[in-house]
Amino acid sequence: MGYNSSGKKPIEFAGKTGHSEFIDEESKKFLSHCYIPQQKFDLNNFSNLFNALDEKDSNIKYVIAIDGGLSSITAKKFPSSKLVAIKIGALFLDLKKIENLKDKEFISPKEINTIKDAAKSKFILPVKNIMNDNYESFTHFVRSTIFNFFSKENFNLASALKWLIFREFRDIPENEWNLATHPINPNIKNIKLKRSEFVNFVTNNNGEIYITDILRLHELIDEDTGAEGIVNYLLSAIEQLLMIFIIKEIYTRNPSKLSEFLFILDRPLAFFGQTANLHKPMREMIVYFLLKGIELNIIGIEKSGAFVEHAKILSEENVLKKGEYILLSNDYIYKNILPRLYNDENLYGRTTYYGGKVIFNSKYENINVCTIPIKNYDKIKNPNVEDFVNLNEILNIIQTLKCNMYENSILPIALINNAVSISKYPGEISLKRFFKSILN
């Protein structure tokens, strides 16, 4: 690694011949045993995965889109001190009101405001070289900041997390959750947390444990290097738990109404990293609701990554035609998108996802990579339409919510993203000035 510069002296530039040592037989031998996804993909034996959208009326009446945004702010350069400003929001749309506007060539901002209703929340997370006198460690400060946000009245995400992990949606909830590592003493493993012992979402087991410690983010916090590694996992969990909070509220008041809602997330239906274990109760909740005659309509939409790049090729090569979608089987994913060895035991997303992947090319040529709940995850090996929860109905709604503002965009995601995102200028610049003026 070269030397940087913070003064008048120049940075250290890289040597101009440093690459030559890699152009040799050793590198050639190593690369000859590697492989990458090919432009011309293998479609043999996958014709059963391609389907035409069955356009029909839907029982879904309302859409709730959920998204989050963040901005990393450097409050001090040397040594680097950083905070992250996080916003989340939920946008409610009545599909009947949208129906009245669909034939208009131009929809004014005033008309947009009549069809939507949004709720937002925000908090500031310290991630590096920032401390508070009320806490004995940086880890405790970060843990407490997250817990305080989760316990807010407007979006009580702590109640949603407790409702999910202890399966309080069932007639008889679970009373125990296994926490792999203690948030205060890392030498203590596999702590049995009792539902009955949580008081205001806090329990005492060799020290105070918050309900949010179930996310295991404390495992990624370092007293020296900070907590930047938790930010994306945290935002993903917050967005999905906001959805759970709304589901809980509807289910508690009127369970039969739940099937009339479609929840849209601006990310795949999965929990990653330290939060991955939450996929288990999510799968159980979907199946439990189905047994009670409640269809949980959820779709996650991806904007970047290998699946989005693959979807673009399918569209450009006219492999996936207008009004068609492809169900991504395990074999298809590993042969055409992700270069991994395939076997029946190595199910894609086995320890993270609670939905199956679908690539949809609408009749308007909007192409979306979607995740939709699947009834039995083992079926992901070679799924059929019937293995998904309301696949045709959900894709029909996504097709009608097309938005011409951005490439392959849909209206609810565009609106909620605008509400929770923070611009580089003046947003980040203003926050930086504000934070620095207080801290300094």
Side-chain angles (χ1 to χ4, degrees):
M1 182 181 289
Y3 287 100
N4 290 320
S5 174
S6 60
K8 295 181 179 180
K9 294 182 179 181
I11 64 170
E12 181 189 10
F13 291 98
K16 298 297 185 288
T17 60
H19 64 281
S20 60
E21 295 170 20
F22 288 93
I23 305 174
D24 60 5
E25 285 300 316
E26 184 183 3
S27 298
K28 183 178 179 181
K29 183 179 179 182
F30 173 78
L31 293 172
S32 67
H33 291 284
C34 301
Y35 61 94
I36 59 176
Q38 300 303 306
Q39 180 78 6
K40 297 297 181 183
F41 24 80
D42 178 11
L43 294 177
N44 293 328
N45 303 318
F46 293 128
S47 60
N48 64 308
L49 299 178
F50 287 80
N51 296 270
L53 181 65
D54 181 12
E55 295 191 39
K56 58 183 181 181
D57 292 335
S58 171
N59 293 321
I60 297 170
K61 297 178 181 178
Y62 313 103
V63 167
I64 294 178
I66 294 166
D67 197 11
L70 59 85
S71 181
S72 180
I73 309 295
T74 300
K76 188 173 184 289
K77 285 188 176 181
F78 305 107
S80 177
S81 297
K82 293 183 180 179
L83 308 102
V84 173
I86 296 177
K87 286 177 70 177
I88 61 163
L91 180 91
F92 173 84
L93 290 176
D94 185 333
L95 292 177
K96 188 180 290 184
K97 292 182 179 179
I98 293 177
E99 182 75 16
N100 298 332
L101 299 176
K102 73 174 185 178
D103 295 325
K104 301 190 70 169
E105 290 186 12
F106 175 77
I107 303 174
S108 69
K110 185 177 179 180
E111 287 171 315
I112 286 289
N113 287 331
T114 64
I115 66 170
K116 68 182 178 73
D117 186 19
K120 295 178 289 184
S121 191
K122 49 83 176 167
F123 76 113
I124 298 169
L125 180 72
V127 293
K128 191 174 182 182
N129 278 336
I130 292 178
M131 195 51 193
N132 183 305
D133 290 336
N134 295 321
Y135 303 96
E136 70 277 7
S137 69
F138 177 71
T139 300
H140 189 195
F141 181 27
V142 174
R143 287 175 52 231
S144 180
T145 302
I146 294 170
F147 173 70
N148 289 337
F149 173 69
F150 270 61
S151 304
K152 277 188 174 181
E153 288 301 319
N154 54 345
F155 291 154
N156 195 326
L157 302 183
S159 68
L161 181 56
K162 181 172 176 283
W163 191 75
L164 177 67
I165 62 164
F166 290 118
R167 282 72 162 179
E168 292 180 352
F169 48 81
R170 291 182 187 159
D171 295 330
I172 304 175
E174 297 284 331
N175 190 43
E176 193 173 272
W177 177 271
N178 185 72
L179 181 60
T181 58
H182 200 285
I184 301 169
N185 186 345
N187 295 319
I188 303 175
K189 308 292 184 184
N190 297 317
I191 305 97
K192 306 298 181 187
L193 300 181
K194 303 288 186 181
R195 171 175 171 263
S196 56
E197 293 176 358
F198 273 95
V199 178
N200 295 324
F201 309 113
V202 179
T203 187
N204 199 300
N205 189 318
N206 293 293
E208 275 193 340
I209 296 179
Y210 305 132
I211 193 77
T212 45
D213 290 325
I214 284 165
L215 300 175
R216 294 172 53 198
L217 298 174
H218 54 272
E219 297 175 10
L220 299 178
I221 303 172
D222 188 274
E223 292 295 317
D224 294 331
T225 59
E228 290 179 273
I230 75 170
V231 174
N232 288 327
Y233 296 142
L234 175 61
L235 184 60
S236 172
I238 286 174
E239 290 178 20
Q240 293 177 88
L241 286 167
L242 175 53
M243 177 182 70
I244 299 301
F245 172 73
I246 299 170
I247 289 171
K248 177 176 76 74
E249 294 299 299
I250 298 171
Y251 181 68
T252 302
R253 288 165 170 75
N254 191 343
S256 62
K257 278 284 184 184
L258 203 47
S259 296
E260 297 179 4
F261 286 82
L262 170 61
F263 295 89
I264 303 178
L265 290 172
D266 192 15
R267 62 175 62 251
L269 304 186
F271 290 93
F272 299 108
Q274 312 309 110
T275 68
N277 276 343
L278 294 186
H279 81 277
K280 297 175 185 176
M282 281 300 298
R283 288 184 191 172
E284 290 180 29
M285 183 174 69
I286 290 163
V287 173
Y288 179 80
F289 281 174
L290 284 171
L291 292 173
K292 292 181 75 74
I294 299 170
E295 292 165 328
L296 203 52
N297 302 303
I298 309 173
I299 184 170
I301 297 180
E302 298 174 49
K303 292 178 181 172
S304 60
F307 288 90
V308 174
E309 292 165 4
H310 181 74
K312 187 177 181 182
I313 296 172
L314 287 177
S315 175
E316 290 173 350
E317 299 288 330
N318 202 31
V319 175
L320 187 65
K321 297 176 174 56
K322 289 193 298 182
E324 288 187 350
Y325 58 88
I326 177 173
L327 310 177
L328 301 187
S329 69
N330 218 42
D331 200 5
Y332 185 94
I333 290 171
Y334 288 152
K335 282 187 176 178
N336 296 300
I337 305 175
L338 301 176
R340 301 181 196 169
L341 290 176
Y342 168 77
N343 62 67
D344 282 344
E345 299 302 318
N346 189 22
L347 286 181
Y348 177 77
R350 181 175 58 85
T351 59
T352 51
Y353 275 75
Y354 54 95
K357 296 275 195 183
V358 179
I359 297 176
F360 174 46
N361 190 8
S362 79
K363 64 182 180 183
Y364 306 109
E365 294 189 280
N366 272 22
I367 191 155
N368 292 113
V369 176
C370 313
T371 323
I372 295 174
I374 198 160
K375 300 169 186 176
N376 179 352
Y377 205 79
D378 289 341
K379 297 286 186 179
I380 204 66
K381 282 188 278 192
N382 196 30
N384 295 311
V385 174
E386 296 75 23
D387 296 321
F388 292 82
V389 178
N390 270 353
L391 185 142
N392 261 290
E393 278 196 55
I394 291 173
L395 292 184
N396 268 299
I397 298 295
I398 295 302
Q399 182 167 254
T400 62
L401 292 174
K402 71 179 181 71
C403 172
N404 295 326
M405 293 169 65
Y406 315 105
E407 186 178 9
N408 298 321
S409 63
I410 63 170
L411 182 64
I413 291 295
L415 292 176
I416 189 60
N417 186 265
N418 181 261
V420 299
S421 58
I422 302 170
S423 63
K424 286 284 183 183
Y425 186 84
E428 283 192 7
I429 302 299
S430 300
L431 286 177
K432 186 174 182 179
R433 288 173 180 166
F434 174 71
F435 291 167
K436 287 180 74 173
S437 69
I438 303 297
L439 290 168
N440 292 329

